[in-house]
């Protein structure tokens, strides 16, 4: 089982933790992780794009000129897609891009992402993550002392309003609850910073 050092918010060592092989020690499956990321991004799409077909554009009811004798090409409407101000061919319409992945596939992808982070030593475990007040400086100081100044994902056992709001305006930093972890957020951040109780929740939910 992979063992990691546990730190406090000031960056000092505060013990050691043993991670579950079932979640943090498997061989990462890149194909399944790719499927999970594509699924996540597809489910986030709004799908509100819309354009008018020739049937929906106002006007164009009268034939522009007679069929024969003018020397020009025959036309039946000024709202044809080949005309300026005409409709759009195969116009995009509002649609739902979301789809569901098999539950086992989603779970394997999540375990692969976590195992990949563990193998690269990109998981930092803290004894606890807490803030007494709404202070962005507290989170910045914590990240700096842990060497996670770039893109970091802070994983909490339960939603903590002070931590969430204190880190919300730090570029590249996101917070998430352990039970809501997803492959995209894990792979999209350089470091994963989790409290010990959040690690326990991850192992409890996804084992």
């Amino acid at each position: 089982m992979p063992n990691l050092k546990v730190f406090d918010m000031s960056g000092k060592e505060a013990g050691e933790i043993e991670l579950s092989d079932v979640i943090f020690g498997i061989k990462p499956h890149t194909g399944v992780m790719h499927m999970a990321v594509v699924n996540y991004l597809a489910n986030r799409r709004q799908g509100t794009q819309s354009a008018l077909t020739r049937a929906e554009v106002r006007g164009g009811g009268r034939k522009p000129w007679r069929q024969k004798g003018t020397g020009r090409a025959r036309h039946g409407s000024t709202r044809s897609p080949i005309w300026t101000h005409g409709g759009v061919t195969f116009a995009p319409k509002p649609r739902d891009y979301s789809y569901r992945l098999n539950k086992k596939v989603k779970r394997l992808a999540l375990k692969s992402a976590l195992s990949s982070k563990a193998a690269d030593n990109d998981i930092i475990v803290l004894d606890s993550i807490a803030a007494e007040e709404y202070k962005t400086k507290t989170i910045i100081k914590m990240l700096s002392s842990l060497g996670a100044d770039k893109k970091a994902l802070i994983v909490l056992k339960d939603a903590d309003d002070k931590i969430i709001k204190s880190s919300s305006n730090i570029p590249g930093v996101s917070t998430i609850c352990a039970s809501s972890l997803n492959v995209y957020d894990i792979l999209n951040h350089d470091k994963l910073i989790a409290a010990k109780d959040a690690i326990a929740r991850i192992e409890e939910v996804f084992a």
Side-chain angles (χ1 to χ4, degrees):
M1 292 187 178
N3 287 347
L4 291 179
K5 292 178 180 178
V6 178
F7 300 91
D8 60 17
M9 289 182 68
S10 63
K12 296 177 182 176
E13 282 191 39
E16 199 172 79
I17 188 172
E18 192 173 1
L19 301 180
S20 169
D21 260 344
V22 179
I23 297 175
F24 297 94
I26 72 168
K27 183 180 178 181
H29 195 305
T30 54
V32 169
M33 286 193 288
H34 177 263
M35 288 170 61
V37 170
V38 171
N39 171 251
Y40 178 84
L41 294 175
N43 292 348
R44 283 178 58 179
R45 291 185 70 173
Q46 287 186 315
T48 54
Q49 75 280 26
S50 186
L52 301 181
T53 64
R54 63 182 294 167
E56 296 167 321
V57 179
R58 182 180 175 87
R62 182 176 65 85
K63 189 173 174 65
W65 50 76
R66 60 196 176 92
Q67 183 83 344
K68 293 177 177 290
T70 64
R72 290 184 285 186
R74 54 195 174 189
H75 287 289
S77 172
T78 56
R79 297 301 178 256
S80 165
I82 64 174
W83 281 61
T84 304
H85 307 302
V88 177
T89 308
F90 307 125
K93 293 295 178 185
R95 56 169 286 196
D96 181 11
Y97 287 93
S98 66
Y99 64 96
R100 297 182 66 178
L101 277 183
N102 184 298
K103 192 180 290 185
K104 288 183 179 179
V105 171
K106 288 172 69 175
R107 187 152 292 193
L108 175 60
L110 190 72
K111 291 178 181 179
S112 294
L114 290 170
S115 296
S116 174
K117 284 293 182 189
D120 294 339
N121 294 317
D122 286 332
I123 297 180
I124 301 172
V125 183
L126 302 185
D127 54 356
S128 66
I129 302 175
E132 296 180 359
E133 53 186 336
Y134 296 93
K135 277 278 187 183
T136 301
K137 282 184 181 179
T138 304
I139 305 300
I140 291 176
K141 187 177 179 182
M142 177 190 80
L143 295 173
S144 180
S145 62
L146 295 171
D149 297 338
K150 296 182 181 178
K151 296 181 76 175
L153 180 65
I154 300 172
V155 185
L156 306 171
K157 180 185 177 184
D158 299 301
D160 185 328
D161 203 43
K162 288 179 181 175
I163 296 293
I164 293 170
K165 289 191 175 180
S166 296
S167 58
S168 62
N169 61 343
I170 305 174
V173 177
S174 305
T175 54
I176 195 170
C177 291
S179 56
S180 302
L181 266 180
N182 62 80
V183 177
Y184 177 80
D185 281 334
I186 294 171
L187 298 179
N188 195 40
H189 292 83
D190 298 321
K191 296 289 184 181
L192 192 150
I193 302 169
K196 281 177 69 176
D197 54 2
I199 294 289
R201 175 64 63 84
I202 291 170
E203 293 180 348
E204 175 190 336
V205 173
F206 301 109

